Amino acid sequence: MSRSQAQALILSQSDRSTLSLRSPGLLHLVGLELKAQADDLGLPPQILRILEEDPQRILRRLNVSVDVAPLLTLAEFHEDQSWETEALKFFVLRGAPAHLLRELFGASRFEVRRLRQQLGVSPPPARVQKVPEELQHEIWLRWQEIKDEYEREADRWIQLSNNYPALSISTLHQVLHSPDVLQTGGRKFA
Amino acid sequence: MSKQKVVKRMDSKQVGALVESALSQQHFAAVDPGKVVVDGIRVIELDVHDVKPYEGNPRTSTNHQELKDSIRSRGLDARFSVTKRPGQSFYITARGGCTRLRAMQELADEGDARFKRMEFFLVDYKSESDLLAGHLVENGKHKPMSFWDSAMGVVNLRSQLEQERGHSLSSREFEDALAESGLKTAQPILIDYRYLGETLAQLQEAYQQSVNRNDIRNILRPAQTLLAKLWEKHGKQGSDLDSLIRFSVSIYQDDKGYDPQRLADFIEAEVARELGYTAQSIVPVLAALRVSPDAPLADLLNPNPASVQAAGDASNLGDSQDGAAAPFAETPQSQRSDPDAQSPTLRYEQPAQSTYDTEPTLSRTGSGHGSDSSFGDSSVGSKNDDNYDDGDDGPIAGIPGLSVASGLTPNPPKAKPLVQPSSGQASLVQHQEGLALGFGTVPQASSIDDAILLILDEVQAAADAVGIARHVVIAPTMPQGYLMEVPDKPLGSSPEDYAVQGWWLLAILSGQLHPNPRYLLDLQTHDGKLVLPDTGRNGFRSRLEEAVLLFEAEDQQGMEQNAWVDAIKLFLGGQTQDEAWFLFEMATNVQHPLSEHTTTILNLIKQLNLMIRQEAV
């Protein structure tokens, strides 16, 4: 079945987890199934008779609903896992401090150590880069925007780090948590 | 007007793309990212076609279309800088912006009036090196450059600076010059850049962007260093090897695409041919050289069986065991032509008996054979070994891991990998046997001092059993009174080597790998000075100095300093061990030669702790 055919089969998406399907082959199978299980299903004899004599008359009126909730759950779980794996890599590559990795991903020191080895990166130095005040202010402003844009904390850090690739996440974290920035909300530099 | 809140999520594909980008990122950054925009700038409005991209732009891989689409929809986020060389009528980009300029020119050509005339920052022209450095800095601020582009940019900058100054620059001078230009980087990175510039520059263009720093650090340069040693032992000029390697790189082709290991293998095969080996016969020689860099060529060509074993699968050991052709059936041409060369013929001595498919006999450092072990001649190494030949100075056939006469570092045999229980290789029965046997022969300590001495004895015996006794260092401040020094040569080629496993076992038991290295500090002093014995700049103590400082500062990941990570990669089997599982496996798998030692040491530690507790009470 081609992709376009498959899409054509999806007649409606009544809610997030139920799909209505219609295809000649599928309906034919449904007709056979109805006939085979007529007694068990308690179908009235008239239905059975129509199914024997003019099946299309009934089948044309049928929709087959499929509950794909388990599939969606599985897909979401898979996506969450993939996202977390990639995000953790990104944080490690961009020099995130260990406590942030623990906070955001629950990553153990051993896990982080192994990941750093795999990626061939060193842990961030304890002393972070010195950032000029003007840039601190810019970072703070950007962070305020990002906080509104992204739902997840990790996504926010990824976006911020991506905006300032020359600064490690450790440094960015330090900037946003420095007493000056915390006390003045970044306005000191405005 | 209230701002509508848009809540987004990044998906794994987006983050994956960023990871790819971060993996290939440049390894330098602006000295002070906030001050990259220079002072004294002026703004000038120009027709975009009056500006040309800087022709020496170090970035060769761009995201042109993506950037163009972005500029079309969002406009240009910020002006970029242009300059004009003396005597030229046109402007050129001064600090990055080449791709953005091309995009704007194309958009202007497509009729988008917004990009016909643009404002630029005009900066003074200083020199070509300043121009190149400006682009390197600016490129580093935006989308990261590939390792190749970064390296070639820096290499070109060096030669440009040397040309302008009229003399070659020392490493320190170059590093200072980079800092002056607004770039900061570390010497090790500069060394890698230089290696790329000198050795890999002729690599086919299609492969260039795939090269990363780890390829150089972990594969290519170590391989070349080893080849250089062998080359030197053959009495050849180093510069000839450099030329040969550069040539090999230039002709390297790979149907499957660039792969650093295959490139290293290709170079190795080319060098092998030049030295008269085949691609196969050079492998065990290099393996022996890796273990014993100072061994004379004759020893390398005539290795003991243990070295062959250590060479791994490549040595075709199985063929030899059943009496078929030995793996070293070939004599290098260079040696054949030199009748005076030592041991010109490669040969392989059959083991006296086939011990390879059963549990390998333990090795030991050769007390009495010139070993620097200070722990005496323990009999532990031979307690299960009827073949142990204590009097023969020659390579002892049939005993893997023993080569005392040639001065080679004993190269202990490999263990089966330590696997998780789910793989079924370590059965419950084995573990039960281990527990039963291990705890049945434990000496009883009469006092705390006695317990410590017994522990040290057993530690030394265990270390001796796998040929690592010289790495045990007495350290009274440690919980068990000792620590394991970091070796200066590989203990083995993988985590499966008994010597490697022995090192990790004893290091774990010593307490030195504890995440909180409190044992290593004198807590009575305010500054928490290290109280370990100083065993030199390559010692475990020096590797921990900075780690401890970091630990005290903020980041407890300080244990993973480069030196330590490098030591693990180079000398300790390549990976850290999961301490709890490792200890459990070693203590309970009766088939492991260190199992009995492990249980004995654990039991002695138990006795020691009990006595300490009783004394405290």
Side-chain angles (χ1 to χ4, degrees):
Chain A
M1 188 188 298
S2 72
R3 188 187 167 117
S4 59
Q5 282 173 319
Q7 282 173 341
L9 295 179
I10 302 174
L11 296 181
S12 69
Q13 195 166 353
S14 57
D15 61 47
R16 195 164 169 267
S17 61
T18 307
L19 297 179
S20 293
L21 305 177
R22 178 180 286 182
S23 79
L26 185 60
L27 293 177
H28 178 68
L29 288 173
V30 169
L32 292 174
E33 199 66 25
L34 288 175
K35 277 196 283 185
Q37 297 190 36
D39 289 345
D40 293 343
L41 294 170
L43 291 179
Q46 304 90 310
I47 298 284
L48 200 57
R49 197 167 56 243
I50 299 172
L51 275 172
E52 292 286 352
E53 294 168 2
D54 186 6
Q56 291 305 319
R57 201 173 138 202
I58 284 187
L59 297 181
R60 272 200 304 271
R61 290 170 166 77
L62 287 183
N63 274 338
V64 180
S65 294
V66 180
D67 183 4
V68 292
L71 292 181
L72 291 174
T73 307
L74 193 65
E76 277 174 19
F77 175 74
H78 185 261
E79 165 59 18
D80 283 350
Q81 289 230 310
S82 305
W83 172 85
E84 189 169 315
T85 304
E86 295 300 326
L88 188 55
K89 275 191 211 168
F90 182 86
F91 272 70
V92 167
L93 282 166
R94 285 289 170 86
H99 64 83
L100 190 61
L101 296 171
R102 266 197 305 276
E103 186 184 313
L104 295 177
F105 304 103
S108 69
R109 290 188 54 206
F110 180 72
E111 197 180 345
V112 173
R113 191 162 56 193
R114 191 158 52 186
L115 193 55
R116 281 182 180 149
Q117 268 188 303
Q118 281 171 3
L119 296 170
V121 295
S122 307
R127 278 183 289 276
V128 296
Q129 221 171 329
K130 196 173 177 185
V131 179
E133 287 191 348
E134 296 76 14
L135 189 58
Q136 287 188 33
H137 177 57
E138 188 187 318
I139 291 168
W140 184 85
L141 286 177
R142 183 71 190 115
W143 179 249
Q144 304 312 311
E145 292 170 1
I146 288 173
K147 277 205 298 188
D148 288 341
E149 277 180 56
Y150 288 91
E151 181 186 346
R152 286 183 293 211
E153 183 81 352
D155 284 341
R156 294 170 181 164
W157 284 107
I158 291 171
Q159 190 56 41
L160 187 69
S161 169
N162 210 32
N163 289 155
Y164 299 94
L167 302 178
S168 69
I169 293 180
S170 261
T171 303
L172 292 169
H173 190 272
Q174 182 85 354
V175 166
L176 292 173
H177 290 80
S178 72
D180 280 344
V181 173
L182 285 174
Q183 282 166 20
T184 67
R187 281 185 295 278
K188 177 187 171 188
F189 314 120
Chain B
M1 188 175 67
S2 67
K3 187 179 166 187
Q4 193 181 356
K5 195 167 180 175
V6 181
V7 179
K8 292 191 283 189
R9 275 177 167 232
M10 299 187 104
D11 62 33
S12 59
K13 206 172 162 186
Q14 286 173 303
V15 183
L18 293 173
V19 168
E20 284 302 309
S21 167
L23 275 170
S24 62
Q25 73 183 312
Q26 84 296 345
H27 297 272
F28 50 80
V31 168
D32 188 344
K35 292 180 180 170
V36 170
V37 177
V38 294
D39 297 332
I41 47 174
R42 287 157 285 159
V43 176
I44 183 173
E45 188 181 309
L46 294 168
D47 186 309
V48 287
H49 289 95
D50 288 342
V51 183
K52 293 185 177 179
Y54 169 56
E55 64 281 5
N57 184 21
R59 187 195 289 281
T60 59
S61 61
T62 64
N63 53 340
H64 175 76
Q65 192 56 46
E66 192 185 321
L67 195 61
K68 185 177 166 184
D69 293 342
S70 163
I71 292 173
R72 182 190 284 121
S73 62
R74 295 179 51 193
L76 197 63
D77 285 340
R79 300 183 187 106
F80 54 87
S81 303
V82 297
T83 190
K84 192 193 263 188
R85 288 188 178 106
Q88 286 190 339
S89 58
F90 57 87
Y91 294 86
I92 53 171
T93 52
R95 291 181 166 82
C98 297
T99 312
R100 281 175 287 168
L101 175 69
R102 285 198 191 92
M104 289 194 306
Q105 288 173 337
E106 285 180 16
L107 290 167
D109 289 344
E110 289 165 14
D112 194 330
R114 290 177 298 163
F115 303 108
K116 177 76 178 139
R117 290 187 70 80
M118 298 291 294
E119 286 185 342
F120 300 91
F121 291 126
L122 178 63
V123 299
D124 293 336
Y125 173 86
K126 288 182 187 165
S127 64
E128 285 302 306
S129 60
D130 178 62
L131 203 50
L132 178 51
H135 280 274
L136 280 168
V137 170
E138 193 61 22
N139 278 323
K141 278 181 71 190
H142 296 283
K143 187 177 168 66
M145 284 197 297
S146 67
F147 177 72
W148 182 278
D149 288 348
S150 303
M152 292 309 286
V154 170
V155 166
N156 290 336
L157 179 59
R158 183 177 193 137
S159 75
Q160 188 68 49
L161 282 166
E162 287 178 341
Q163 198 178 327
E164 287 170 8
R165 297 185 184 190
H167 62 86
S168 60
L169 297 175
S170 70
S171 299
R172 175 58 58 193
E173 285 173 326
F174 182 51
E175 201 178 340
D176 292 345
L178 281 178
E180 281 170 25
S181 306
L183 289 164
K184 79 167 181 185
T185 188
Q187 275 299 332
I189 297 172
L190 290 179
I191 291 168
D192 293 339
Y193 284 168
R194 194 165 189 169
Y195 176 89
L196 186 145
E198 290 176 352
T199 309
L200 302 179
Q202 298 304 315
L203 189 68
Q204 283 197 28
E205 204 176 327
Y207 305 149
Q208 290 175 358
Q209 299 301 324
S210 304
V211 176
N212 67 50
R213 191 175 170 218
N214 282 340
D215 298 348
I216 291 176
R217 291 184 72 209
N218 300 338
I219 299 173
L220 296 169
R221 202 170 43 219
Q224 182 168 341
T225 305
L226 202 60
L227 288 171
K229 281 184 188 149
L230 184 61
W231 189 266
E232 191 186 329
K233 286 182 190 296
H234 278 266
K236 288 177 167 279
Q237 289 287 326
S239 56
D240 293 342
L241 176 66
D242 295 340
S243 304
L244 175 61
I245 290 177
R246 277 197 295 271
F247 173 72
S248 305
V249 168
S250 72
I251 61 171
Y252 165 70
Q253 275 195 324
D254 199 325
D255 294 340
K256 295 176 188 169
Y258 162 81
D259 177 88
Q261 189 56 58
R262 288 200 294 272
L263 172 58
D265 292 344
F266 180 76
I267 293 170
E268 187 179 294
E270 292 294 314
V271 174
R273 189 177 304 138
E274 187 65 24
L275 292 177
Y277 301 89
T278 65
Q280 288 76 37
S281 67
I282 198 172
V283 172
V285 180
L286 290 173
L289 181 62
R290 192 177 289 115
V291 174
S292 307
D294 301 327
L297 184 60
D299 285 349
L300 300 175
L301 299 179
N302 183 23
N304 67 319
S307 302
V308 179
Q309 171 111 346
D313 298 335
S315 63
N316 299 323
L317 192 56
D319 290 343
S320 304
Q321 286 177 291
D322 57 22
F328 309 132
E330 198 169 323
T331 302
Q333 287 164 1
S334 58
Q335 293 298 309
R336 283 188 216 129
S337 62
D338 180 6
D340 295 323
Q342 289 178 308
S343 296
T345 305
L346 286 164
R347 63 177 188 274
Y348 172 68
E349 292 183 16
Q350 294 287 336
Q353 60 182 16
S354 179
T355 57
Y356 290 97
D357 30 349
T358 57
E359 191 64 20
T361 311
L362 304 181
S363 69
R364 63 176 193 177
T365 46
S367 306
H369 292 284
S371 161
D372 57 354
S373 167
S374 59
F375 296 107
D377 189 4
S378 166
S379 62
V380 175
S382 58
K383 63 168 73 165
N384 298 321
D385 177 17
D386 295 330
N387 296 327
Y388 196 93
D389 185 346
D390 212 14
D392 189 352
D393 277 346
I396 302 169
I399 303 179
L402 204 59
S403 175
V404 288
S406 63
L408 298 180
T409 300
N411 192 16
K414 286 178 188 299
K416 287 178 181 173
L418 293 180
V419 290
Q420 298 291 328
S422 56
S423 67
Q425 290 197 23
S427 70
L428 183 62
V429 175
Q430 285 173 20
H431 291 159
Q432 285 169 340
E433 286 172 358
L435 289 167
L437 292 174
F439 285 104
T441 56
V442 179
Q444 294 300 309
S446 57
S447 64
I448 290 179
D449 286 347
D450 189 34
I452 291 172
L453 286 176
L454 285 171
I455 289 171
L456 289 176
D457 278 350
E458 194 63 27
V459 164
Q460 289 164 11
D464 205 26
V466 290
I468 56 170
R470 70 196 178 95
H471 301 300
V472 180
V473 174
I474 303 300
T477 55
M478 297 295 287
Q480 271 61 258
Y482 76 98
L483 66 83
M484 294 304 293
E485 190 55 283
V486 178
D488 52 359
K489 291 174 186 169
L491 291 183
S493 53
S494 77
E496 297 162 37
D497 285 291
Y498 282 153
V500 172
Q501 293 184 351
W503 191 95
W504 282 103
L505 169 72
L506 297 178
I508 289 168
L509 290 172
S510 79
Q512 71 193 71
L513 302 182
H514 194 280
N516 178 352
R518 62 181 185 278
Y519 305 125
L520 315 179
L521 295 171
D522 180 359
L523 297 176
Q524 303 304 314
T525 63
H526 292 297
D527 53 0
K529 278 184 180 168
L530 279 167
V531 290
L532 296 175
D534 189 350
T535 51
R537 68 187 176 86
N538 291 322
F540 190 75
R541 181 183 195 266
S542 63
R543 294 192 196 288
L544 270 178
E545 294 265 16
E546 202 173 350
V548 171
L549 290 176
L550 285 174
F551 170 75
E552 287 182 323
E554 184 187 14
D555 193 335
Q556 298 188 11
Q557 302 294 333
M559 289 285 283
E560 305 161 23
Q561 287 304 291
N562 271 340
W564 174 231
V565 173
D566 285 349
I568 292 170
K569 278 186 192 159
L570 294 172
F571 309 130
L572 294 171
Q575 65 185 56
T576 52
Q577 299 293 340
D578 183 331
E579 294 173 20
W581 171 252
F582 187 83
L583 197 57
F584 173 77
E585 181 68 16
M586 296 288 270
T588 57
N589 188 346
V590 72
Q591 292 194 339
H592 199 286
L594 292 174
S595 172
E596 194 177 333
H597 293 295
T598 309
T599 50
T600 303
I601 295 168
L602 283 172
N603 198 303
L604 286 167
I605 292 172
K606 189 171 140 191
Q607 292 181 37
L608 173 66
N609 289 343
L610 187 65
M611 280 186 259
I612 289 172
R613 210 166 292 138
Q614 283 171 345
E615 194 180 70
V617 171

